[in-house]
């Protein structure tokens, strides 16, 4: 978990490699569906462009479906999900239905001005449609109001590893791996 621009996608891909598991990014799945003009993509597009969350029933069904795939059985990491309280509850239900439990939750942190700087650069480099000044502000607001408070519940369950997301990419990966080992065993 972590705000837009903190490096979730980058670190998720690296951690997937370190641990030999798959990274499941809800944002990437939505973007691939938009690119392929699927029904899911058409539904998600309007929300994503505005910086709003895609409705829970759509997102939850998509994640549940992905968790049923064969490659997930060896382990997985979720990037960008859950993002609100309803998704936390749905994830617990979905995991229970497969007989699984979360091993840990990583929270990556950075100050808002660092995030805006990174997202503005990404808008320039990658041309993501939702990286407009309004989209960036909207997504950060949603993160701080809806998503950030969820980390407390995971901390109370003894699952949270909080890691500073500012630094060299490899440094942050090392920090995450070390924090997971120290806090979650
Ligand atoms: P991301 O690549 O994680 O920044 O996600 C890009 C956009 O996809 C978000 O701004 C949302 O519109 C949508 N999205 C990604 N994950 C979720 C989620 N868990 N719940 C709802 N919408 C999501």
């Amino acid at each position: 978990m972590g705000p837009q621009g903190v490096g979730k996608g980058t670190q998720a891909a690296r951690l997937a490699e370190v641990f030999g598991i798959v990274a499941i990014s809800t944002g990437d799945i939505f973007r691939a569906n938009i690119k392929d003009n699927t029904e899911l993509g058409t539904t998600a597009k309007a929300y994503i462009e505005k910086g709003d969350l895609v409705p829970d029933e759509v997102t939850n069904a998509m994640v549940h479906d992905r968790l049923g795939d064969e490659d997930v059985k060896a382990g997985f990491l979720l990037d960008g999900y859950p993002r609100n309280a309803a998704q936390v509850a749905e994830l617990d239900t979905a995991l229970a239905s497969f007989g699984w439990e979360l091993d840990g939750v990583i929270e990556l942190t950075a100050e808002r001005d660092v995030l805006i700087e990174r997202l503005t650069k990404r808008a320039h480099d990658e041309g993501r449609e939702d990286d407009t000044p309004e989209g960036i502000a909207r997504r950060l607001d949603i993160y701080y109001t809806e998503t950030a408070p969820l980390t407390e519940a995971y901390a109370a369950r003894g699952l949270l590893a909080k890691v500073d997301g500012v630094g060299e990419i490899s440094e942050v990966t090392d920090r995450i791996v070390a924090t997971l080992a120290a806090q979650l065993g």
Side-chain angles (χ1 to χ4, degrees), residues 16-47:
E17 208 151 291
V18 169
F19 293 108
I21 57 178
V22 286
I24 301 172
S25 158
T26 42
D28 282 352
I29 301 176
F30 284 133
R31 280 184 289 276
N33 275 276
I34 291 172
K35 197 161 155 262
D36 294 344
N37 273 315
T38 67
E39 207 181 315
L40 174 65
T42 309
T43 307
K45 193 171 160 60
Y47 297 96

Side-chain angles (χ1 to χ4, degrees), residues 2-5 8-9 25-31 34 44-56 58-60 62-63 79-84 87 119 122 128 130-131 135 138-139 142 147:
Q4 284 66 33
K8 289 192 303 290
S25 158
T26 42
D28 282 352
I29 301 176
F30 284 133
R31 280 184 289 276
I34 291 172
K45 193 171 160 60
Y47 297 96
I48 291 181
E49 278 175 353
K50 277 195 277 177
D52 285 335
L53 293 184
V54 176
D56 287 340
V58 176
T59 309
N60 287 335
M62 180 179 88
V63 172
D79 160 22
Y81 182 94
R83 256 170 150 105
N84 61 26
Q87 293 180 10
L119 288 164
R122 184 171 79 182
R128 248 179 67 163
D130 54 350
D131 279 344
R138 173 107 190 99
R139 274 149 52 223
I142 291 175
T147 311

Side-chain angles (χ1 to χ4, degrees), residues 59-170:
T59 309
N60 287 335
M62 180 179 88
V63 172
H64 200 124
D65 206 45
R66 179 71 183 89
L67 288 175
D69 289 344
E70 198 57 34
D71 62 346
V72 172
K73 292 201 173 118
F76 61 92
L77 184 154
L78 290 164
D79 160 22
Y81 182 94
R83 256 170 150 105
N84 61 26
Q87 293 180 10
V88 168
E90 174 56 29
L91 178 59
D92 284 335
T93 305
L95 292 176
S97 77
F98 289 105
W100 299 333
E101 277 177 24
L102 285 179
D103 291 320
V105 176
I106 302 155
E107 180 188 6
L108 279 182
T109 62
E111 295 298 328
R112 192 176 171 118
D113 53 345
V114 174
L115 300 169
I116 290 183
E117 198 178 300
R118 284 191 190 174
L119 288 164
T120 308
K121 185 173 179 305
R122 184 171 79 182
H124 181 262
D125 296 348
E126 295 178 22
R128 248 179 67 163
E129 283 189 35
D130 54 350
D131 279 344
T132 58
E134 300 74 28
I136 290 169
R138 173 107 190 99
R139 274 149 52 223
L140 287 175
D141 287 345
I142 291 175
Y143 180 77
Y144 291 114
T145 54
E146 287 195 49
T147 311
L150 308 175
T151 59
E152 279 166 34
Y154 283 128
R157 286 160 64 173
L159 290 174
L160 193 71
K162 194 168 174 171
V163 178
D164 180 2
V166 182
E168 291 295 321
I169 289 173
S170 60

